Structure formats: C-alpha cells, structure tokens
Amino acid sequence: MQRLMEQLRAPQTERLPSYNSISNATNSAAAAVTSAVPTGNRGPNSAGQRRKGMALTGASAIAFAVMALLVRELDSRGFTALQIMFWRGVVQSVGALGVCLTRGVQPLRVVGDWKRFRWVLMRAVFGSAGHVLYYMALARMAMGTATVLFFTNPLFTAAFARWLLDEPLPARAAWLMAAALGGVVLVAAPLAPLSLAAGAVPLQWALLALLGAASTALAYTSIRIAGRLVHPMVHVMYFGVVAAVGALVLSRAARQPWLMPENSLVGWAPVVGVGVSALAAQFLMNWALQLAHAAPVVMVRNSTVAISFVLDAIVYQSVPTLLGTVGAVVITICSILISR
C-alpha cells in the first residue's frame, strides 16, 4: 500500500495523449507509460475542460434517469434486480465493444498492460459490487431510505479523491454537497433521518447501503486514477462484462426463477433500452471524470434524483409532494452552483 501511494503521488510531467492517439498507440509507446498518476488526474486541465466535464455529467444524469424509468418498467414485468443488472450488463458490454471497434479503440489491448488494466478492473468490480449491495439493501429496507444512504457516495468520493489524488474540496463545495444530500432526503424519504435515528432500520442493512455507496465511490476514483490513458468506452465495456457475470452467478446462487423477455419488440425494447441508456450514461460519466474533480462530478450525477422526480410526474402522472418539489429544486440549484 505504501508503494502504491508513493506511485500515485509521484510527479509526472508527461503530456497526456488524446483519445485518438491512445487508440493508435503502438505497444512500445504503451510500455513507456509509467504507473504514476498523470498530471491530468490531479485536477482539470483548464476551466473550459472543467465546465465541459460538468456538462457531460448533467447529460449523464439525464441518461441515468431514463434508465431508472426503464428499470421500473422491467420490475413491473417481474424481472428481479439481478436479472435486470444481467441484461443491462450484456447489452452495455456488447454495445460498448461495437463502439470501440468502430472508433478504432482496441479494448483487449489494455489487458496486457497491468498498470492500466488494474484500474479498469477496479472500476468494474467495485462499481458492480456497489450496485449489488444497493439492490440487497433495497430488498431489506424502504426504497427511499436505501436511496438516501446510497446517494451519500459523493462524500465517500471526496474522501477517496483527497486521500489518493490530493484533490481539494473547498468549503463551498462541501456545503453544496451537504445541501444536495438534504435535497435527496426530501425527494426520496423525508422521514429517513428519523427512522435511522430511532433504530427503525436495522444497523446491518443501513451499513450495507453505505458500503455500496463507498464501493461506487472507489469505482469513480479509479477512473480518475486511470486518467485519459484509458478510453471511457473501455471502462463501460468491462463494467458490463463484470456486472453481467456477477449478476448471473448471484441470481443462480439465490435460485431465482429465470425470466426471459417476451419475444417481441414490446418485450425486448425496455431490456435493450436499459442497456443503451446505461451505456450512454456511463460513457458520459467516465469522460467527465477525466476532465473534472471527482467529488463535484459525482454530486452533479446525483441530480438524477431530481430528474427522476420530474419524469415520474410526467410519465406516471404521480402527484409531486411539496417536500419532494423543494428537494428537487435544492438539488438542481446546488448542481448548477457547483458546476460554475
């Protein structure tokens, strides 16, 4: 661990290559890359790139919200969370592989470079584990409370990014993150803090959701560590592979009855839609994390809660609550302010 920390903190003066140069790099050039974190991971290269990263994150949040609607549709059809995760992973990995091949990116080449692949693998494993833990928490506690606990991941991300990458967290950003988390509470479960304080939620299940949040935070941080030496779509592909395999194994271990989509356009449309929206959301998120500090990016990504609140009212014609509306506005304002 000490050696790893020294590598992470070692100065690096090499210029980061562009995505095109990465995809066309020769084996000799790849071998010349050291295991130290590039300077681009220490912070945004420019204010313009930071703003671009925040814009990409906002687009990613919209894609995640669309995915959430499709997940809800599949849930209503009887698919379990693990089965949804499996189909999402399959569609996402196949789609990402196709995009890589058409863009001249060779996703298998990174496997031979352990200095880069370890971070790709870390992102895939911890990201998949975080979602599995979140799904396990959802099965054992109220959805709103589990959502509030899981969406504490910007706090964990800030801690990991500070520890591993020396990324600063200004007081203004910290206050905005705390306020945004308060907005999540208002939207998802206004009584969650009271139920947690009163012990209404068993401690082990609350810790399970928090562990899921910490796991996803490590996944996000690993993208920052890998930097622009790994194409964002490569992360998407390997995450899909690990998620699909893990979900299939866990589903079989739990002896869940397997449900196949109906063999029609209507049956397969939401299945494919979940994978495609996840592909787009993760690609945009991964790209954003290569341009801006981790904690602000992850906080803006959590604006998915506010977007889902609006989409739910439009698509399902649910009546918005006053507290939920206030929470959505708070999240939106905090996301705008931290992006400036």
Side-chain angles (χ1 to χ4, degrees), residues 36-125:
V37 179
T39 52
N41 292 328
R42 304 279 181 179
N45 290 336
S46 67
Q49 287 193 345
R50 180 181 178 278
R51 286 192 294 270
K52 180 179 179 180
M54 293 296 107
L56 290 169
T57 308
S60 173
I62 295 174
F64 273 120
V66 172
M67 186 194 72
L69 280 180
L70 295 172
V71 166
R72 182 171 173 176
E73 173 63 24
L74 290 177
D75 179 73
S76 69
R77 297 186 183 189
F79 288 88
T80 66
L82 288 174
Q83 289 170 359
I84 295 173
M85 188 172 177
F86 168 79
W87 288 114
R88 165 188 162 176
V90 169
V91 175
Q92 175 180 324
S93 57
V94 172
L97 176 61
V99 173
C100 285
L101 295 179
T102 57
R103 299 296 297 174
V105 178
Q106 299 181 16
L108 296 181
R109 178 177 293 178
V110 72
V111 177
D113 184 357
W114 177 245
K115 295 175 182 179
R116 289 187 293 164
F117 185 63
R118 57 182 173 178
W119 304 119
V120 175
L121 192 61
M122 178 178 171
R123 189 269 180 272
V125 171

Side-chain angles (χ1 to χ4, degrees), residues 197-280:
V201 178
L203 179 61
Q204 63 269 31
W205 306 134
L207 291 176
L208 200 68
L210 289 173
L211 185 60
S215 183
T216 55
L218 275 173
Y220 293 141
T221 306
S222 69
I223 297 173
R224 291 285 294 157
I225 295 174
R228 283 173 286 166
L229 299 178
V230 178
H231 194 283
M233 197 59 77
V234 173
H235 285 294
V236 176
M237 192 198 82
Y238 283 103
F239 177 87
V241 171
V242 172
V245 173
L248 181 61
V249 171
L250 290 174
S251 179
R252 292 301 187 187
R255 298 182 179 180
Q256 295 180 348
W258 194 257
L259 183 64
M260 288 292 295
E262 180 185 340
N263 193 19
S264 67
L265 178 61
V266 175
W268 279 100
V271 174
V272 175
V274 164
V276 171
S277 56
L279 182 153

Side-chain angles (χ1 to χ4, degrees), residues 127-140:
S128 300
H131 282 83
V132 169
L133 291 168
Y134 176 50
Y135 292 151
M136 291 174 64
L138 283 174
R140 291 166 175 83

Side-chain angles (χ1 to χ4, degrees), residues 50 54 173 176-177 296 299-300 334-340:
R50 180 181 178 278
M54 293 296 107
L176 287 173
M177 288 171 58
M299 198 210 85
V300 174
C334 291
S335 298
I336 293 173
L337 290 177
I338 205 169
S339 300
R340 299 179 65 180

